[in-house]
Amino acid sequence: MALYFVASFCTIAVLLCIKRFYEMSALVFINECFLLGLTLLALEAALFVHQTGFFRPFFQGFQQLYRWIVPKPKMLIREEEKWANDVWLKDWKNRTTDRIKTVLLGTGTGCLFISLTYLFFYY
């Protein structure tokens, strides 16, 4: 949770510094911040859906179709099974994905917050 707030506040500070440094118009700044925030939140949502395994049957089906067209050597299949059963690697991937999701959520929220705040003061 602390990572989320740190990412949000750092994003707000960086965006305010960018606004001061580049001296862009308020409306352009509002629009770009809003678009950036939506993009980051869409990436976070895509990571969340991927992590839940919603598309796993589709990916497995395409992998089976690819294996039928281009067969793999048995040694490569054994290595992939060994990597798939590695508990430490799975744990590291889950922790890293969770941190990336938190940072994306924090930066996206920070961008939307600064955009809406500037929009409030603009009108």
Side-chain angles (χ1 to χ4, degrees):
M1 195 64 161
L3 184 61
Y4 168 77
F5 288 116
V6 168
S8 293
F9 292 131
C10 287
T11 302
I12 290 170
V14 166
L15 287 175
L16 290 175
C17 290
I18 288 173
K19 170 77 168 93
R20 294 259 186 224
F21 182 72
Y22 285 112
E23 298 176 358
M24 61 178 66
S25 69
L27 195 57
V28 170
F29 180 72
I30 290 167
N31 289 337
E32 287 183 4
C33 286
F34 192 77
L35 182 62
L36 179 64
L38 286 181
T39 304
L40 291 173
L41 290 176
L43 285 173
E44 191 272 334
L47 271 175
F48 178 76
V49 169
H50 176 71
Q51 195 175 23
T52 60
F54 182 74
F55 291 113
R56 190 169 291 138
F58 297 110
F59 292 144
Q60 288 175 349
F62 287 126
Q63 284 177 351
Q64 289 175 355
L65 182 64
Y66 180 76
R67 286 183 192 150
W68 181 68
I69 295 172
V70 181
K72 287 186 182 180
K74 292 188 188 281
M75 186 172 82
L76 183 59
I77 293 172
R78 277 185 259 132
E79 285 297 318
E80 286 179 351
E81 288 174 358
K82 194 186 318 181
W83 281 100
N85 295 329
D86 190 5
V87 176
W88 181 83
L89 182 63
K90 284 182 184 180
D91 184 46
W92 179 80
K93 282 182 181 179
N94 286 335
R95 282 186 286 126
T96 305
T97 305
D98 287 340
R99 287 182 185 147
I100 291 172
K101 283 186 344 187
T102 304
V103 168
L104 284 174
L105 183 64
T107 54
T109 305
C111 287
L112 287 179
F113 177 77
I114 198 74
S115 172
L116 293 175
T117 304
Y118 258 87
L119 185 65
F120 178 73
F121 289 125
Y122 183 73
Y123 285 112

